[in-house]
Amino acid sequence: MMSEKRPKVVLTHWVQDEVLTLLGQHADVVPNPTRESWPQEELLRHCRDADALIVFMPDRIGADFLRECPKLRIVAGALKGYDNIDPQACTDAGVWLSVVPDLLTVPTAELAVGLLLALTRRIPAGDRLIRSGTFQGWRPTLYGEGLAGTTVGILGYGRVGQTIARRLSGFDVELVFHDVVETLPVHQSVEGPERVDLETLLRVTDHLITAAPLNDSTLHLLNADRLRQMKPGATLVNIGRGSVVNEEDVAQALEDGHLAGYAADVFEMEDLSLEERPPEICEALLGFPERTVFTPHLGSAVASVREAIALEAAWNVVDALEGRVPRGAVDELSLEHGALT
């Protein structure tokens, strides 16, 4: 008697052995053992007969892809924001879409505070000075700006925005926020941040952090006109999605001196959901090394967190393969779909 064929699970990017072990108890696993993305045709070759797929930030999943993979039961995102995945196309194809909504929150908020401090206290410039071999002891140079007594604005007050506020609450700053969602769920937030409209947020903040996802209402939300509404000498930190800002306009604001500094962990060229996106980071934006700080999408890059994220995505796959509703199914997160999280 022939044994029943095991389902096939494909992982588009490297994961820890613990994740492969878990999945291997339930399915035949096809991992990408490298740290690079597969070319699209190679990915499709692996997925055409797959029952489940675990995807990551560099992957774009839409109707055309799903038509090539008729056996798929679930696209499990090892991620929080899913603007690179078409949820309607998944629904139309009868494929579950799941995400990991919470595990990325704390490390991303930590990085936001780290970028703000690095930018305002000129930490990268100080590091370069030490490594140049010219440092001869204290000199009255590289003066930056402290946070105490300033106003920090948060654009997007979902889980990440609220967690940023909690971490900044000990810095003696005044916190304000803006979000397009009228009624926000509270995720262990702090008392006191004032809700303001967007124009007020731009006008009063000394340091603005955007924790917004990418959707129709946030695409290039911070463009030349809105950047001009910010305080002269303000700083901007982006840990949400690259295309929430217009990078060319940010570069111009830095050139004009209106923005004192810009820090980012996310970039427009990463936003695969956009038909028209730059192929690389805006060259002009890279021309201000003394007033910018950039990290390569490290928001959740904590080893233990990334393992937990991949394991949660794997459990979503197990749920789907065993006929259960995946615990991170997007359908069950409808309360937050509109929120700037």
Side-chain angles (χ1 to χ4, degrees):
M1 178 173 159
M2 294 182 60
S3 60
E4 184 179 348
K5 185 177 179 182
R6 280 159 59 88
K8 176 181 176 181
V9 179
V10 176
L11 297 96
T12 66
H13 289 78
W14 178 90
V15 295
Q16 297 83 352
D17 289 342
E18 289 80 0
V19 181
L20 300 180
T21 299
L22 169 62
L23 290 169
Q25 296 170 1
H26 303 271
D28 292 331
V29 182
V30 178
N32 179 352
T34 76
R35 303 282 178 150
E36 298 297 326
S37 300
W38 277 327
Q40 187 73 359
E41 187 49 47
E42 183 175 359
L43 176 59
L44 277 170
R45 179 169 60 82
H46 291 302
C47 291
R48 285 190 174 100
D49 63 344
D51 299 274
L53 177 62
I54 295 182
V55 298
F56 298 78
M57 179 67 196
D59 299 311
R60 181 176 182 178
I61 306 296
D64 291 343
F65 182 94
L66 294 170
R67 276 193 290 271
E68 297 270 355
C69 308
K71 289 185 62 182
L72 271 183
R73 290 186 248 172
I74 182 171
V75 174
L79 39 74
K80 174 185 174 75
Y82 53 94
D83 46 275
N84 292 354
I85 306 170
D86 186 339
Q88 188 59 54
C90 290
T91 299
D92 292 344
V95 175
W96 283 110
L97 170 60
S98 67
V99 296
V100 180
D102 254 346
L103 294 173
L104 295 81
T105 299
V106 168
T108 302
E110 290 177 347
L111 184 66
V113 176
L115 286 173
L116 179 58
L117 289 170
L119 186 64
T120 56
R121 294 304 307 273
R122 307 194 64 185
I123 293 173
D127 180 77
R128 288 192 294 269
L129 174 61
I130 295 296
R131 296 177 189 278
S132 72
T134 62
F135 178 66
Q136 295 180 328
W138 181 89
R139 299 290 188 273
T141 61
L142 294 182
Y143 289 174
E145 298 290 335
L147 295 185
T150 66
T151 299
V152 178
I154 301 173
L155 177 60
Y157 207 60
R159 283 186 172 93
V160 173
Q162 292 176 37
T163 306
I164 291 170
R166 290 183 65 213
R167 274 144 185 78
L168 286 173
S169 63
F171 280 84
D172 193 24
V173 297
E174 180 178 353
L175 290 166
V176 294
F177 75 91
H178 172 73
D179 199 297
V180 297
V181 177
E182 290 300 324
T183 304
L184 286 164
V186 176
H187 309 286
Q188 297 180 317
S189 190
V190 295
E191 296 294 333
E194 179 186 1
R195 184 176 196 145
V196 296
D197 59 36
L198 180 57
E199 290 71 23
T200 301
L201 183 83
L202 298 174
R203 187 179 71 252
V204 304
T205 54
D206 301 292
H207 312 291
L208 178 61
I209 301 174
T210 171
L214 181 60
N215 53 44
D216 290 342
S217 67
T218 63
L219 175 61
H220 287 175
L221 181 64
L222 297 180
N223 55 24
D225 288 341
R226 290 200 171 97
L227 291 171
R228 280 193 292 268
Q229 295 176 43
M230 294 179 66
K231 278 186 178 182
T235 61
L236 175 62
V237 176
N238 185 9
I239 51 84
R241 278 294 187 266
S243 298
V244 172
V245 309
N246 184 311
E247 290 178 348
E248 291 186 355
D249 292 348
V250 170
Q252 187 61 56
L254 289 167
E255 175 71 29
D256 296 342
H258 189 75
L259 270 185
Y262 179 62
D265 187 48
V266 290
F267 303 92
E268 289 192 79
M269 50 83 68
E270 297 182 285
D271 295 330
L272 303 180
S273 59
L274 302 180
E275 293 298 331
E276 295 184 11
R277 62 185 177 89
E280 56 192 18
I281 297 173
C282 173
E283 184 177 358
L285 193 62
L286 303 179
F288 306 92
E290 297 301 312
R291 294 194 286 141
T292 53
V293 179
F294 300 125
T295 49
H297 212 125
L298 298 181
S300 63
V302 175
S304 60
V305 172
R306 286 307 314 181
E307 180 176 338
I309 290 168
L311 282 169
E312 187 65 16
W315 279 115
N316 278 311
V317 165
V318 172
D319 284 342
L321 295 181
E322 296 188 348
R324 297 187 296 270
V325 175
R327 62 197 70 191
V330 167
D331 314 56
E332 302 199 344
L333 303 177
S334 59
L335 176 64
E336 294 180 27
H337 279 184
L340 298 180
T341 56

